[in-house]
Amino acid sequence: MDKHYKALSAVFPIIVRQCDGKMQVLLHQRANTGYMDGKWDFAGSGHVDEGETAKMAVIRECLEELGITVDVEFVEFVHLSHRIGKNGGPTYYDIYFIVKKYDGIATIAEPNKCSALEWFDLGNLPNEIIDIRKLAIQNYLDAIPYSEIY
């Protein structure tokens, strides 16, 4: 494919739960990936592979990275971010989904890529969260379905 027309797609499950009357989100701390290592990111995120839909990718990534099973009916689209690559970097369509129900206990299934897994209150996110993920949470809370980052 001509690079002129190439854009990548990535999926980001915003896995949420209610705890003590507060909404919490599951984040993992990136490690050994070469991208934003040490920063907090949405747990279970990744690229959409050839031949799969975005929802299929969310389900696969949650199983691979967290060891949890997610049914397609509990994967709800909430935001699309068209992110233009800087300094020659790739352009991405970042697709965010809310996951409110899953089977199993979320654990670090890929310890070579993740150093921690924690629940955080949506109103008290860690300072070390990736900036565009913090923005995605705000877009979700504000019910903004589309954004552009360049």
Side-chain angles (χ1 to χ4, degrees):
M1 177 188 282
D2 184 346
K3 185 177 180 190
H4 178 74
Y5 297 103
K6 185 164 176 127
L8 300 171
S9 297
V11 292
F12 300 89
I14 304 173
I15 301 171
V16 294
R17 72 177 185 185
Q18 285 283 340
C19 185
D20 297 327
K22 294 184 180 180
M23 183 73 81
Q24 294 184 327
V25 62
L26 185 63
L27 301 177
H28 71 180
Q29 194 168 39
R30 300 181 64 87
N32 307 311
T33 68
Y35 177 77
M36 300 281 183
D37 290 334
K39 297 277 190 178
W40 290 94
D41 198 356
F42 292 122
S45 57
H47 290 94
V48 178
D49 288 344
E50 187 69 31
E52 72 181 353
T53 67
K55 285 185 175 183
M56 290 166 68
V58 167
I59 292 166
R60 176 183 51 76
E61 290 287 353
C62 284
L63 183 60
E64 289 175 1
E65 293 187 13
L66 301 168
I68 59 173
T69 303
V70 179
D71 191 293
V72 69
E73 70 182 276
F74 299 112
V75 178
E76 179 186 344
F77 169 80
V78 292
H79 188 77
L80 174 69
S81 176
H82 187 178
R83 181 168 44 99
I84 305 297
K86 294 181 181 176
N87 302 319
T91 292
Y92 272 90
Y93 293 98
D94 293 335
I95 311 164
Y96 296 89
F97 295 92
I98 287 293
V99 175
K100 294 183 180 177
K101 184 177 178 186
Y102 57 86
D103 291 320
I105 298 172
T107 60
I108 298 173
E110 294 181 333
N112 58 321
K113 296 180 181 179
C114 173
S115 60
L117 182 68
E118 293 183 31
W119 290 97
F120 292 92
D121 290 346
L122 283 179
N124 191 24
L125 298 172
N127 291 331
E128 300 82 20
I129 190 171
I130 296 173
D131 289 341
I132 58 176
R133 305 300 183 246
K134 187 174 183 178
L135 179 60
I137 288 173
Q138 194 58 55
N139 285 330
Y140 157 63
L141 294 172
D142 293 342
I144 298 171
Y146 178 77
S147 66
E148 295 178 346
I149 299 173
Y150 42 90

